[in-house]
């Protein structure tokens, strides 16, 4: 999409610190981290959030969780624990309307989330 920040990062129109890429997704460092490790896993295909997901995206979302777990292992944060967060719509904190999954680690997290 023309004016989407994450589409621009996916196709190289905007810079980002990319830590992973394959044919389906990229993972980048969040520009405004809220934890010592704060990555965003972003599908290359633009869709808004889980409300906009198609049946054909079923495997894609599973793939994202597998990659997140692999990144967590490779960064040595798996054992202590990490969070995968997906905000859906503004009331839940979504500010970029191209679906993405936050991978957060490196500090203690509280529950319930804020
Ligand atoms: P959400 O609020 O769940 O939609 O998350 C959007 C995330 O994207 C926030 O954590 C922002 O800090 C992050 N973000 C926004 N613009 C950029 C950018 N250009 N590069 C990296 N992360 C970004
Ligand atoms: Zn997009």
């Amino acid at each position: 999409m023309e004016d989407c920040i994450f589409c621009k990062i996916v196709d190289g129109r905007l810079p980002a610190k990319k830590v992973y890429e394959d044919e389906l997704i990229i993972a980048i460092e969040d520009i405004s981290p809220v934890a010592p490790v704060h990555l965003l896993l972003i599908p290359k295909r633009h869709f808004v959030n889980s409300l906009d997901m198609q049946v054909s995206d079923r495997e894609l979302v599973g793939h994202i969780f597998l990659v997140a777990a692999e990144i967590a292992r490779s960064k040595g944060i798996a054992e202590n624990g990490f969070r995968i967060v997906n905000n859906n719509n503004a009331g839940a904190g979504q500010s970029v309307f191209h679906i993405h999954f936050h991978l957060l680690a490196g500090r203690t997290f509280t529950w319930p989330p804020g």
Side-chain angles (χ1 to χ4, degrees):
M1 274 186 84
E2 194 54 39
D3 286 332
C4 170
I5 289 174
F6 288 171
C7 282
K8 287 182 179 174
I9 290 174
V10 164
D11 66 24
R13 280 178 289 153
L14 258 187
K17 288 188 183 163
K18 211 181 280 179
V19 299
Y20 176 87
E21 178 167 17
D22 63 28
E23 68 282 10
L24 294 176
I25 68 171
I26 60 170
I28 63 169
E29 290 182 8
D30 196 293
I31 203 166
S32 178
V34 299
V37 177
H38 188 170
L39 303 177
L40 300 172
L41 290 97
I42 306 171
K44 290 183 173 179
R45 183 178 103 70
H46 178 100
F47 59 107
V48 174
N49 57 35
S50 61
L51 297 164
D52 189 29
M53 193 177 153
Q54 307 299 305
V55 171
S56 55
D57 295 315
R58 200 194 304 253
E59 281 193 24
L60 169 67
V61 175
H63 178 66
I64 286 169
F65 274 73
L66 286 170
V67 171
E70 200 44 53
I71 292 173
R73 283 190 204 96
S74 71
K75 285 191 165 292
I77 54 170
E79 196 72 11
N80 269 344
F82 59 95
R83 268 193 194 170
I84 299 171
V85 175
N86 165 234
N87 297 319
N88 291 271
N89 280 345
Q94 184 173 11
S95 61
V96 178
F97 290 85
H98 175 137
I99 195 168
H100 53 279
F101 295 76
H102 300 256
L103 173 55
L104 300 160
R107 64 172 171 83
T108 303
F109 297 102
T110 57
W111 193 263

